Amino acid sequence: MRVGVLTGGGDCPGLNAVIRAVVRKGIKDYGYEFVGFRDGWRGPLEGDTMPLDIAAVRGILPRGGTILGSSRTNLMKIEGGVERVKDNMAGLGVDALVAIGGEDTLGVARQLHDRGVNVVGVPKTIDNDLNATDYTFGFDTAVNIAMEAIDRLHTTAESHHRALVVEVMGRHAGWIALHSGMAAGANVILIPERPFDMDVVVKHVESRFETQYAPIIVVAEGAHPKAGQLELATGETDSFGHVRLGGIGQNLAEEIERRTGKEARSVVLGHVQRGGTPTAFDRVLATRLGVNAIEAVHDKSFGKMVGLQGTDIVRVDLAEATDTLKTVPAERYEEAEVFFG
């Protein structure tokens, strides 16, 4: 059997660990051949490949990013895209695909499977918002990067007696903001799941200043205020219809400074959260997911995604994984609210 591997969407630490596990397990245990498709769904769409063998994956376990490259190509919006993928796979002798990605990449994988393509999915997103898996690799690394940055910002904020607003990633789900904010002792955490009240945010900021400490506000990029409280700009949309986010941190800092008279600054962590070497947790999870993905291919268990539930790796339908996003439940956010102010 010849198996194609691709990585789509935003990059994150742990992608190379999955590729390595898929290839090593597939070659050593099953004698499979592998071909890497470059830059997400663009690879099978255009037949752009690279060789994947044991030598190609040697030494990549600790590397961030992806040796295959990535993109946000949505082949479902390209006329004849599905047929082109099928033709290219047939021409290359590729019998099955392992697609590694988040909601958009696996959403395309699901539609391809419905149209007769043999696909197995592996969940990847630093936002941790994929359904049917407790954690996605990349999330733990992103949280640790954000936590370390917030730790450092505490000291400089207190030295200058200013409020600092830290903007982290999280379009629809506030998992990174919640976990990094709790771990680093933020005074306010704002997430997309709960529209915030600017009056309440200012109250927490002023309360913190009254104790002779400087406030730290952690905000997910997709967080938004209650209607009419703060004007937010919107940006361009990508091929999956997502608006390019960014700017909530700066808007918040300006409003806090205007209302309190205290100096406020914003820090946007942005793609720093995606880069660098993966944590031990993400390396192990990515490796386990890769091993189980190629086992699913061997069992011809197509149309499935491998995911973590408890401590076990399980197979779930791609439809179950992509129908709805996993967002922060109210009770989890309320745990963090106890420490606000």
Side-chain angles (χ1 to χ4, degrees):
M1 180 180 282
R2 199 167 199 220
V3 181
V5 183
L6 64 84
T7 55
D11 70 299
C12 77
L15 282 166
N16 286 323
V18 178
I19 297 167
R20 172 181 177 270
V22 166
V23 171
R24 288 177 64 89
K25 172 77 174 178
I27 292 175
K28 288 192 171 185
D29 286 9
Y30 304 130
Y32 291 166
E33 293 182 17
F34 289 89
V35 58
F37 285 107
R38 297 181 188 272
D39 301 337
W41 289 114
R42 187 191 67 78
L45 184 69
E46 299 179 4
D48 189 358
T49 67
M50 64 174 282
L52 273 184
D53 53 19
I54 296 292
V57 300
R58 186 170 290 126
I60 67 173
L61 175 64
R63 285 177 55 183
T66 165
I67 62 170
L68 296 176
S70 190
S71 73
R72 297 191 183 276
T73 302
N74 186 355
L75 64 86
M76 306 310 296
K77 288 192 174 181
I78 298 173
E79 186 175 354
V82 173
E83 294 309 313
R84 284 171 60 184
V85 167
K86 287 183 174 182
D87 290 344
N88 284 330
M89 286 179 62
L92 292 164
V94 174
D95 305 295
L97 275 176
V98 174
I100 311 166
E103 56 168 319
D104 296 326
T105 301
L106 298 188
V108 171
R110 169 188 175 182
Q111 294 180 73
L112 284 177
H113 174 258
D114 292 343
R115 290 163 173 78
V117 178
N118 296 329
V119 185
V120 169
V122 179
K124 174 276 327 170
T125 167
I126 65 169
D127 288 344
N128 198 41
D129 60 0
L130 265 173
N131 207 7
T133 183
D134 292 344
Y135 288 98
T136 52
F137 67 88
F139 171 68
D140 186 69
T141 304
V143 167
N144 275 278
I145 291 169
M147 179 194 70
E148 181 179 347
I150 298 165
D151 284 347
R152 293 174 182 274
L153 290 169
H154 270 291
T155 56
T156 188
E158 290 170 9
S159 296
H160 292 276
H161 313 293
R162 61 168 59 125
L164 283 179
V165 180
V166 185
E167 182 181 316
V168 300
M169 287 186 170
R171 175 180 296 278
H172 303 296
W175 292 107
I176 294 177
L178 181 70
H179 281 234
S180 64
M182 288 184 71
N187 307 111
V188 178
I189 300 169
L190 306 175
I191 62 176
E193 292 87 340
R194 179 175 293 194
F196 60 86
D197 188 323
M198 198 65 218
D199 293 335
V200 174
V201 173
V202 169
K203 182 179 178 181
H204 283 306
V205 168
E206 291 176 332
S207 173
R208 181 69 171 175
F209 275 124
E210 287 171 2
T211 64
Q212 306 304 311
Y213 286 97
I216 298 286
I217 300 95
V218 176
V219 57
E221 62 185 345
H224 54 280
K226 291 181 177 179
Q229 289 196 349
L230 199 63
E231 290 296 324
L232 302 178
T234 58
E236 302 174 352
T237 58
D238 63 19
S239 61
F240 289 95
H242 300 309
V243 175
R244 181 176 296 175
L245 297 176
I248 180 64
Q250 180 63 31
N251 288 338
L252 265 175
E254 291 174 356
E255 186 69 4
I256 288 170
E257 186 166 308
R258 185 183 72 80
R259 291 200 187 194
T260 66
K262 300 286 189 179
E263 192 175 7
R265 294 288 186 271
S266 67
V267 177
V268 181
L269 296 186
H271 286 77
V272 171
Q273 296 158 90
R274 292 193 180 279
T277 187
T279 60
F281 180 89
D282 280 342
R283 295 185 195 196
V284 172
L285 177 57
T287 298
R288 293 183 69 198
L289 291 171
V291 167
N292 280 269
I294 200 61
E295 288 178 347
V297 170
H298 182 69
D299 295 341
K300 294 182 170 53
S301 184
F302 300 118
K304 302 289 186 181
M305 181 192 82
V306 291
L308 179 70
Q309 293 185 4
T311 57
D312 299 325
I313 305 296
V314 300
R315 299 173 190 174
V316 299
D317 290 337
L318 280 169
E320 181 184 353
T322 57
D323 270 344
T324 58
L325 290 177
K326 181 182 67 182
T327 55
V328 176
E331 59 270 21
R332 289 293 300 278
Y333 185 72
E334 288 163 2
E335 291 172 353
E337 283 186 306
V338 174
F339 300 98
F340 286 2

